[in-house]
Amino acid sequence: MWSFFARDPIKDFNYELLPENQEKSGIWTLSRGKRKTTSEPVSVFVYEVSQGTEEQTQLAKAALKRTKTLRHPNILSYVDGLETEKSLYIVTEPVTPLAAHLKLQAEKGGASDLEVSWGLHQIVKALSFLVNDCHLNHNNLGMWAVFVDRAGEWKLGGLDHVTSDQGDSISLPPPKVINPDLERYDPPESPGNGGEKWTGDVWRLGCLIWEVFNGNLPRASSLRSLGKIPKQLVPHYCELVGANPKIRPNPARFLLNCKSPGGFMNNSFVESCLFLEEIQIKEPAEKQQFFQDLSENLDSFPEDFCKHKVLPQLLTAFEFGNAGAVVLTPLFKVGKYLSAEEYQQKIIPVIVKMFSSTDRAMRIRLLQQMEQFIRYLNEAAVNSQIFPHVVHGFTDTNPAIREQTVKSMLLLAPKLNEANLNQELMRHFARLQARDDQGPIRCNTTVCLGKIAPYLNAGMRQRVLISAFSRATKDPFPASRAAGVLGFAATHQYYSVAESASRILPTLCTLTMDPDKNVRDQAFKAIKSFLSKLETVSEDPSKLAEIEKEVTASAQTGGSAATWAGWAVTGVSSLTSKLIRNVPAGLEAPPAENSSALQPAAGPVTTNTANKGVQQDKSYVSFQRLRPLEVTFVRCVHHHGCLIKKTFTIMKLFILVFAVRENRKYISNNHAFTPSGLSKAELAKKKREERRKELEAKRAERKAAKGPLKLGARKLD
């Protein structure tokens, strides 16, 4: 009757076993499992009492006891356990048998010596803990007793045969009694015949090392053949499998030997792993130096180790250790190994928090490396949490931060909303292009505007682009003028035929006699491009609608700006802070503040002429200020629907004459050259210097004539 009310303990077990990927591990069956409440992955070792012998059941109970009581970072971590009349369960951290792990690594090209060196370091350290601290003998060390966790770290398990070197009240059968195949791993001497308490375990450690590099050990005599064991490890390996048990080293001594200069475990990976294990007790200066050096070493570290061991430490160091910007470079390197979901969950919250920091070093590194994480940022986070902090960089006193802030807009623009892109960003661009005292930053602003043009709405493009690029063509910095010309060429599809003829070509023609040859070359190319466009419409007016189809096109949602403007990539990448420092004197003056760059143009703006009934009169009225030949050209386009080739030839001739006249005016107005052969800036500087010398000479003469002042006298000059 009471059995009716008894509960099955298996039903109360908080873990669920997954049927796939079950593996045999000694007397145990290793299964993957998960916690029922949180779905957290675990490994479950199951022993069925009905399928084992009395001796095996005794070993299973001993293993459950040892796994539960022995706690060490390099010993398999115990999570939970259950013992019933039918079976025993040991729940541990999720692991994979070493043999299966090495097989998987072999398919990828083989495990690296760095990974193996750290794995062996962990197993020897666990063995040293058992022997020297707990006074225990493992008695079962081998490939079957080593497991690998998600980070690729090796853990010592197989605690079935652990005994005390001081004698146990219960004697356990040796491994070869349970599995006769394990006899080849026994040391040559008989038990208790000379040697120290660890001699048997270090012999089996030598067998483990042989199998890691050479595969399954066929017989004990094979240990004499070194095979693929690395040369740095050979002398220490030979000590482990020496015939004389008295010369076999203590595990702690073996560890020191391998970490000596030139040893197998003396490398950057082992040193980094040891530092991470003790990072909580390290000084802040040591942590800073470690994270700076870590970035260079990460490329040689195993991927799983970076994801599950290094990444948590980096996040903790930023969150609680005040590590600052130094963690960014290694953090983004590790981020390459994460899936999109993992990146969104682990790294994006940290990045959002970093942007709110006032640390300039962190801000500039975030901007420089934005390309690595921008695709994981959603539009809501960019507009509400990141952009409001980024825009402060436009007004920063440090030129490098202003420059990086401008460059970052190439990546942020596709994710900005209407208000941030077309209003807030354009306001900052207008101020930078008109007032910034650094020529390269003004140039970069022009370049960036050209690249983000597809994301602006049609109305903003009409008001901004021509004004901005025209303003750039009058900049005292040559690269800015070149950027303005190239901006016109790269965004040609957004201008109507009328705008090209009346506003853009006259602006470009003034640059055909620019003092800088690169600007002149770019201007001639752009003029030819726009003339070709006009000539196409002249030959076939029916193509007007097709040519102007993108003038009023809707803003793009992202993805195209990085492909069509090779000039922008070159401009942005070449104009760095180094260029800011090397700008020649006289070219750093900011443009006049009363300019109207990026400000909405006054008066009606010509748009697509497809709807002739509505657009016709406005186009005509807006061109009343043009010269007769230009008016004729516009009237022909809009009223007659065709152009006479002779009229267009006259138009070309007019443009050339206009270019020469305007260039003379441009050169005269800007005083690019003077009769003395000096530029206006050089001439003004020379006059100021002469005036200063005259004033100093006069002061010296007056002082010499008066002599020293007497007490109480008043100085008149």
Side-chain angles (χ1 to χ4, degrees):
M1 177 180 178
W2 293 110
S3 62
F4 178 78
F5 297 99
R7 298 183 60 85
D8 185 359
I10 299 297
K11 292 182 180 179
D12 295 332
F13 195 45
N14 197 27
Y15 300 90
E16 177 184 350
L17 273 66
L18 303 178
E20 67 273 10
N21 298 325
Q22 292 184 345
E23 300 184 43
K24 199 69 176 174
S25 179
I27 62 175
W28 300 88
T29 300
L30 174 58
S31 302
R32 298 187 182 277
K34 64 179 180 179
R35 190 186 291 268
K36 292 179 180 178
T37 53
T38 62
S39 297
E40 178 186 359
V42 294
S43 288
V44 184
F45 292 83
V46 182
Y47 170 75
E48 299 292 346
V49 176
S50 60
Q51 299 178 7
T53 64
E54 184 65 29
E55 291 177 331
Q56 291 176 337
T57 303
Q58 181 184 2
L59 291 173
K61 292 181 179 181
L64 176 59
K65 175 185 175 182
R66 293 295 186 186
T67 307
K68 187 184 299 185
T69 56
L70 286 173
R71 298 285 180 162
H72 188 270
N74 305 129
I75 293 179
L76 199 57
S77 298
Y78 174 84
V79 176
D80 202 350
L82 178 65
E83 181 178 353
T84 67
E85 295 180 356
K86 296 181 180 179
S87 54
L88 279 79
Y89 298 86
I90 300 178
V91 183
T92 69
E93 59 185 315
V95 291
T96 303
L98 178 59
H101 174 76
L102 292 178
K103 182 180 179 181
L104 183 62
Q105 292 296 98
E107 295 174 356
K108 299 179 181 179
S112 66
D113 285 351
L114 291 179
E115 180 182 356
V116 174
S117 67
W118 175 239
L120 290 176
H121 183 284
Q122 293 177 295
I123 297 304
V124 177
K125 195 172 180 180
L127 188 60
S128 176
F129 168 74
L130 290 178
V131 170
N132 298 309
D133 298 329
C134 303
H135 304 287
L136 298 173
N137 294 326
H138 190 276
N139 299 318
N140 190 33
L141 185 59
M143 289 278 283
W144 57 90
V146 180
F147 301 88
V148 184
D149 68 6
R150 289 180 296 180
E153 299 197 293
W154 295 11
K155 301 297 182 78
L156 181 60
L159 305 179
D160 310 28
H161 299 273
V162 172
T163 59
S164 172
D165 60 9
Q166 299 172 350
D168 280 331
S169 57
I170 301 176
S171 61
L172 298 174
K176 62 183 178 181
V177 173
I178 305 302
N179 186 357
D181 290 340
L182 301 182
E183 186 174 2
R184 64 179 180 271
Y185 298 99
D186 286 343
E189 71 276 2
S190 33
N193 235 359
E196 301 290 343
K197 57 185 179 181
W198 59 76
T199 55
D201 282 336
V202 296
W203 171 275
R204 295 185 182 90
L205 175 62
C207 298
L208 171 64
I209 292 174
W210 194 95
E211 289 195 323
V212 165
F213 291 102
N214 299 310
N216 189 43
L217 179 67
R219 63 189 68 85
S221 59
S222 300
L223 295 172
R224 299 173 185 173
S225 173
L226 298 176
K228 298 179 182 178
I229 298 177
K231 292 182 179 180
Q232 307 101 304
L233 191 56
V234 168
H236 310 304
Y237 160 78
C238 292
E239 291 180 351
L240 298 178
V241 294
N244 185 358
K246 294 183 180 180
I247 65 171
R248 293 177 199 155
N250 184 294
R253 182 63 187 172
F254 172 79
L255 205 56
L256 289 175
N257 293 339
C258 290
K259 290 169 63 179
S260 61
F264 182 65
M265 298 178 186
N266 184 16
N267 55 62
S268 60
F269 184 48
V270 172
E271 291 174 1
S272 299
C273 295
L274 292 174
F275 189 96
L276 287 173
E277 288 187 346
E278 302 172 354
I279 194 170
Q280 304 302 332
I281 61 175
K282 297 292 185 180
E283 294 294 328
E286 292 180 298
K287 294 180 183 178
Q288 290 279 331
Q289 188 61 45
F290 170 75
F291 287 125
Q292 287 178 2
D293 299 338
L294 179 62
S295 180
E296 300 176 2
N297 299 326
L298 279 177
D299 293 332
S300 61
F301 288 4
E303 179 178 325
D304 290 336
F305 180 83
C306 293
K307 288 171 57 177
H308 301 290
K309 186 75 172 182
V310 176
L311 179 59
Q313 293 292 350
L314 291 173
L315 298 177
T316 302
F318 171 76
E319 192 76 20
F320 305 108
N322 298 321
V326 72
V327 304
L328 286 178
T329 302
L331 181 66
F332 292 137
K333 272 197 171 184
V334 175
K336 296 177 181 178
Y337 301 130
L338 302 179
S339 65
E341 183 179 353
E342 290 173 327
Y343 202 104
Q344 193 74 31
Q345 180 183 0
K346 296 180 179 179
I347 296 184
I348 290 302
V350 177
I351 291 175
V352 171
K353 186 175 180 180
M354 285 178 177
F355 270 107
S356 63
S357 172
T358 56
D359 183 2
R360 278 178 165 175
M362 180 175 293
R363 172 66 59 81
I364 200 165
R365 289 199 186 184
L366 280 170
L367 295 175
Q368 288 171 340
Q369 303 186 54
M370 185 178 289
E371 190 174 2
Q372 301 188 37
F373 59 82
I374 185 64
R375 63 182 180 276
Y376 301 107
L377 293 172
N378 57 53
E379 294 184 5
V382 169
N383 286 282
S384 63
Q385 296 176 279
I386 292 179
F387 185 74
H389 296 294
V390 172
V391 292
H392 294 311
F394 289 124
T395 56
D396 198 283
T397 56
N398 188 329
I401 291 182
R402 297 202 302 275
E403 183 193 34
Q404 289 299 332
T405 304
V406 171
K407 292 179 182 180
S408 69
M409 292 303 111
L410 297 176
L411 301 169
L412 287 177
K415 295 179 179 288
L416 294 180
N417 57 28
E418 178 79 13
N420 285 336
L421 178 62
N422 293 282
Q423 298 176 22
E424 183 74 7
L425 182 58
M426 291 300 102
R427 180 173 64 84
H428 286 289
F429 271 20
R431 186 189 56 78
L432 285 174
Q433 195 190 38
R435 301 179 185 176
D436 200 279
D437 61 350
Q438 299 291 341
I441 293 180
R442 301 195 300 271
C443 175
N444 279 348
T445 304
T446 304
V447 169
C448 185
L449 180 63
K451 285 206 76 172
I452 67 174
Y455 306 119
L456 301 174
N457 62 41
M460 183 57 65
R461 283 199 301 261
Q462 293 290 316
R463 293 194 297 272
V464 163
L465 294 185
I466 295 181
S467 298
F469 295 144
S470 297
R471 175 66 187 85
T473 60
K474 299 176 178 64
D475 195 288
F477 188 59
S480 291
R481 300 198 295 275
V485 176
L486 291 167
F488 275 128
T491 57
H492 66 92
Q493 69 270 31
Y494 299 123
Y495 311 121
S496 66
V497 170
E499 286 175 325
S500 300
S502 63
R503 299 179 65 187
I504 299 175
L505 275 173
T507 300
L508 294 175
C509 286
T510 61
L511 298 176
T512 56
M513 292 184 66
D514 190 273
D516 188 272
K517 187 177 187 306
N518 180 54
V519 177
R520 297 197 299 271
D521 292 343
Q522 298 297 341
F524 281 117
K525 292 179 182 178
I527 289 172
K528 291 177 183 178
S529 174
F530 280 99
L531 282 177
S532 175
K533 185 176 178 179
L534 293 174
E535 191 169 8
T536 300
V537 176
S538 172
E539 295 293 337
D540 187 358
S542 62
K543 293 183 178 180
L544 180 64
E546 180 183 351
I547 289 178
E548 293 186 345
K549 65 181 179 181
E550 293 189 48
V551 173
T552 57
S554 301
Q556 297 181 8
T557 57
S560 67
T563 59
W564 52 262
W567 63 272
V569 176
T570 304
V572 170
S573 62
S574 62
L575 293 168
T576 60
S577 56
K578 181 170 66 177
L579 184 56
I580 293 177
R581 295 193 298 270
N582 296 333
V583 174
L587 295 179
E588 285 297 333
E593 295 188 7
N594 59 358
S595 61
S596 59
L598 297 187
Q599 299 300 328
V605 179
T606 305
T607 56
N608 195 341
T609 57
N611 190 348
K612 296 182 180 179
V614 178
Q615 301 285 346
Q616 201 172 41
D617 295 336
K618 289 184 179 180
S619 301
Y620 180 78
V621 172
S622 65
F623 281 21
Q624 291 302 310
R625 298 188 300 273
L626 302 182
R627 292 172 174 78
L629 284 178
E630 293 176 287
V631 174
T632 303
F633 173 75
V634 175
R635 284 176 176 170
C636 287
V637 170
H638 293 285
H639 292 281
H640 302 290
C642 65
L643 283 175
I644 303 172
K645 192 168 184 179
K646 181 178 179 182
T647 304
F648 188 77
T649 304
I650 297 174
M651 172 69 178
K652 279 186 176 180
L653 180 62
F654 161 76
I655 289 176
L656 293 177
V657 174
F658 175 80
V660 174
R661 187 176 74 244
E662 289 296 321
N663 271 303
R664 287 175 181 167
K665 186 195 303 182
Y666 172 76
I667 294 172
S668 175
N669 291 342
N670 288 277
H671 299 281
F673 303 104
T674 61
S676 62
L678 299 176
S679 67
K680 178 183 176 182
E682 292 172 339
L683 187 60
K685 184 177 180 181
K686 184 177 179 181
K687 288 182 179 180
R688 287 196 302 270
E689 186 67 21
E690 292 174 353
R691 178 62 177 163
R692 183 181 63 79
K693 290 180 180 179
E694 290 177 4
L695 291 175
E696 288 179 353
K698 288 181 180 180
R699 291 195 190 99
E701 289 175 3
R702 286 197 298 268
K703 187 173 181 181
K706 292 181 179 180
L709 290 175
K710 295 182 180 179
L711 184 63
R714 185 176 62 178
K715 186 176 181 180
L716 299 178
D717 56 349

Short mmCIF file of all heavy atoms in Angstrom, two decimals, residues 86-111:
data_model
loop_
_atom_site.label_atom_id
_atom_site.label_comp_id
_atom_site.label_asym_id
_atom_site.label_seq_id
_atom_site.Cartn_x
_atom_site.Cartn_y
_atom_site.Cartn_z
N LYS A 86 18.16 1.63 -8.86
CA LYS A 86 18.36 1.15 -10.23
C LYS A 86 19.55 1.80 -10.92
O LYS A 86 20.15 1.20 -11.81
CB LYS A 86 17.10 1.40 -11.05
CG LYS A 86 15.88 0.63 -10.56
CD LYS A 86 14.68 0.92 -11.45
CE LYS A 86 13.44 0.16 -10.98
NZ LYS A 86 12.27 0.47 -11.83
N SER A 87 19.87 3.04 -10.55
CA SER A 87 20.91 3.76 -11.31
C SER A 87 21.55 4.85 -10.47
O SER A 87 21.03 5.25 -9.43
CB SER A 87 20.32 4.34 -12.60
OG SER A 87 19.19 5.15 -12.29
N LEU A 88 22.69 5.32 -10.96
CA LEU A 88 23.40 6.45 -10.37
C LEU A 88 23.60 7.52 -11.45
O LEU A 88 23.91 7.19 -12.60
CB LEU A 88 24.77 6.03 -9.81
CG LEU A 88 24.80 5.37 -8.43
CD1 LEU A 88 24.39 3.90 -8.54
CD2 LEU A 88 26.19 5.47 -7.82
N TYR A 89 23.44 8.77 -11.04
CA TYR A 89 23.59 9.89 -11.97
C TYR A 89 24.61 10.88 -11.39
O TYR A 89 24.53 11.25 -10.21
CB TYR A 89 22.26 10.63 -12.18
CG TYR A 89 21.17 9.79 -12.81
CD1 TYR A 89 20.33 8.99 -12.03
CD2 TYR A 89 20.96 9.79 -14.19
CE1 TYR A 89 19.33 8.23 -12.58
CE2 TYR A 89 19.95 9.03 -14.76
CZ TYR A 89 19.15 8.25 -13.95
OH TYR A 89 18.14 7.49 -14.51
N ILE A 90 25.55 11.31 -12.23
CA ILE A 90 26.47 12.39 -11.87
C ILE A 90 26.32 13.48 -12.92
O ILE A 90 26.60 13.25 -14.11
CB ILE A 90 27.93 11.91 -11.82
CG1 ILE A 90 28.11 10.79 -10.80
CG2 ILE A 90 28.86 13.08 -11.48
CD1 ILE A 90 29.53 10.24 -10.74
N VAL A 91 25.86 14.65 -12.49
CA VAL A 91 25.65 15.78 -13.41
C VAL A 91 26.85 16.72 -13.29
O VAL A 91 27.21 17.15 -12.19
CB VAL A 91 24.35 16.54 -13.08
CG1 VAL A 91 24.13 17.67 -14.09
CG2 VAL A 91 23.17 15.59 -13.08
N THR A 92 27.48 17.04 -14.44
CA THR A 92 28.65 17.91 -14.46
C THR A 92 28.46 19.02 -15.48
O THR A 92 27.45 19.07 -16.20
CB THR A 92 29.92 17.12 -14.82
OG1 THR A 92 29.85 16.72 -16.19
CG2 THR A 92 30.08 15.88 -13.93
N GLU A 93 29.43 19.91 -15.55
CA GLU A 93 29.46 20.91 -16.61
C GLU A 93 29.48 20.21 -17.97
O GLU A 93 29.93 19.06 -18.08
CB GLU A 93 30.71 21.77 -16.46
CG GLU A 93 32.01 20.96 -16.51
CD GLU A 93 33.23 21.79 -16.23
OE1 GLU A 93 33.32 22.89 -16.79
OE2 GLU A 93 34.09 21.33 -15.45
N PRO A 94 28.99 20.84 -19.03
CA PRO A 94 28.99 20.18 -20.35
C PRO A 94 30.41 19.93 -20.85
O PRO A 94 31.21 20.87 -20.97
CB PRO A 94 28.24 21.17 -21.25
CG PRO A 94 28.31 22.48 -20.54
CD PRO A 94 28.36 22.18 -19.08
N VAL A 95 30.72 18.69 -21.14
CA VAL A 95 32.07 18.31 -21.58
C VAL A 95 31.99 17.29 -22.70
O VAL A 95 30.95 16.69 -22.96
CB VAL A 95 32.90 17.73 -20.41
CG1 VAL A 95 33.24 18.81 -19.39
CG2 VAL A 95 32.18 16.56 -19.75
N THR A 96 33.15 17.11 -23.34
CA THR A 96 33.31 16.11 -24.40
C THR A 96 34.53 15.27 -24.06
O THR A 96 35.54 15.81 -23.60
CB THR A 96 33.54 16.81 -25.76
OG1 THR A 96 32.44 17.68 -26.03
CG2 THR A 96 33.67 15.80 -26.88
N PRO A 97 34.48 13.95 -24.26
CA PRO A 97 35.67 13.12 -24.02
C PRO A 97 36.86 13.61 -24.85
O PRO A 97 36.69 14.05 -26.00
CB PRO A 97 35.23 11.72 -24.43
CG PRO A 97 33.74 11.73 -24.28
CD PRO A 97 33.31 13.12 -24.65
N LEU A 98 38.06 13.54 -24.30
CA LEU A 98 39.25 14.04 -24.99
C LEU A 98 39.45 13.35 -26.33
O LEU A 98 39.82 14.00 -27.32
CB LEU A 98 40.48 13.84 -24.10
CG LEU A 98 41.82 14.26 -24.72
CD1 LEU A 98 41.81 15.73 -25.09
CD2 LEU A 98 42.98 13.94 -23.77
N ALA A 99 39.20 12.05 -26.39
CA ALA A 99 39.40 11.33 -27.65
C ALA A 99 38.50 11.88 -28.75
O ALA A 99 38.94 12.09 -29.90
CB ALA A 99 39.12 9.84 -27.44
N ALA A 100 37.23 12.16 -28.41
CA ALA A 100 36.31 12.73 -29.40
C ALA A 100 36.73 14.14 -29.80
O ALA A 100 36.62 14.53 -30.96
CB ALA A 100 34.89 12.73 -28.83
N HIS A 101 37.22 14.90 -28.83
CA HIS A 101 37.65 16.27 -29.11
C HIS A 101 38.85 16.28 -30.06
O HIS A 101 38.88 17.06 -31.03
CB HIS A 101 38.02 16.97 -27.80
CG HIS A 101 38.61 18.33 -27.98
ND1 HIS A 101 37.85 19.44 -28.30
CD2 HIS A 101 39.90 18.78 -27.91
CE1 HIS A 101 38.63 20.49 -28.41
NE2 HIS A 101 39.88 20.13 -28.18
N LEU A 102 39.84 15.42 -29.81
CA LEU A 102 41.02 15.37 -30.68
C LEU A 102 40.66 14.89 -32.08
O LEU A 102 41.24 15.34 -33.07
CB LEU A 102 42.08 14.47 -30.06
CG LEU A 102 42.72 14.98 -28.76
CD1 LEU A 102 43.72 13.95 -28.22
CD2 LEU A 102 43.41 16.32 -28.98
N LYS A 103 39.69 14.00 -32.17
CA LYS A 103 39.25 13.52 -33.48
C LYS A 103 38.62 14.66 -34.28
O LYS A 103 38.86 14.82 -35.49
CB LYS A 103 38.26 12.37 -33.30
CG LYS A 103 37.77 11.78 -34.62
CD LYS A 103 36.79 10.64 -34.37
CE LYS A 103 36.28 10.06 -35.69
NZ LYS A 103 35.31 8.96 -35.46
N LEU A 104 37.80 15.46 -33.59
CA LEU A 104 37.17 16.61 -34.25
C LEU A 104 38.21 17.63 -34.68
O LEU A 104 38.13 18.20 -35.78
CB LEU A 104 36.16 17.25 -33.29
CG LEU A 104 35.35 18.43 -33.84
CD1 LEU A 104 34.49 17.98 -35.01
CD2 LEU A 104 34.46 19.03 -32.75
N GLN A 105 39.22 17.86 -33.83
CA GLN A 105 40.28 18.80 -34.18
C GLN A 105 41.11 18.29 -35.36
O GLN A 105 41.58 19.08 -36.19
CB GLN A 105 41.20 19.03 -32.98
CG GLN A 105 40.55 19.78 -31.82
CD GLN A 105 40.15 21.19 -32.20
OE1 GLN A 105 39.00 21.45 -32.53
NE2 GLN A 105 41.11 22.09 -32.16
N ALA A 106 41.30 16.97 -35.42
CA ALA A 106 42.06 16.40 -36.53
C ALA A 106 41.36 16.65 -37.86
O ALA A 106 42.01 16.88 -38.89
CB ALA A 106 42.26 14.90 -36.31
N GLU A 107 40.03 16.64 -37.85
CA GLU A 107 39.27 16.91 -39.07
C GLU A 107 39.44 18.36 -39.51
O GLU A 107 39.30 18.69 -40.68
CB GLU A 107 37.80 16.59 -38.84
CG GLU A 107 37.53 15.11 -38.58
CD GLU A 107 36.09 14.84 -38.21
OE1 GLU A 107 35.32 15.84 -38.09
OE2 GLU A 107 35.71 13.66 -38.02
N LYS A 108 39.74 19.25 -38.55
CA LYS A 108 39.93 20.67 -38.86
C LYS A 108 41.39 21.01 -39.13
O LYS A 108 41.73 22.17 -39.35
CB LYS A 108 39.44 21.53 -37.70
CG LYS A 108 37.96 21.38 -37.39
CD LYS A 108 37.57 22.25 -36.21
CE LYS A 108 36.10 22.11 -35.87
NZ LYS A 108 35.73 22.95 -34.69
N GLY A 109 42.26 20.01 -39.07
CA GLY A 109 43.67 20.27 -39.30
C GLY A 109 44.56 19.92 -38.14
O GLY A 109 45.78 20.09 -38.21
N GLY A 110 43.99 19.43 -37.04
CA GLY A 110 44.79 19.02 -35.89
C GLY A 110 44.84 20.08 -34.81
O GLY A 110 44.81 21.28 -35.10
N ALA A 111 44.92 19.63 -33.56
CA ALA A 111 45.03 20.55 -32.44
C ALA A 111 46.42 21.19 -32.44
O ALA A 111 47.42 20.54 -32.72
CB ALA A 111 44.78 19.82 -31.12
#
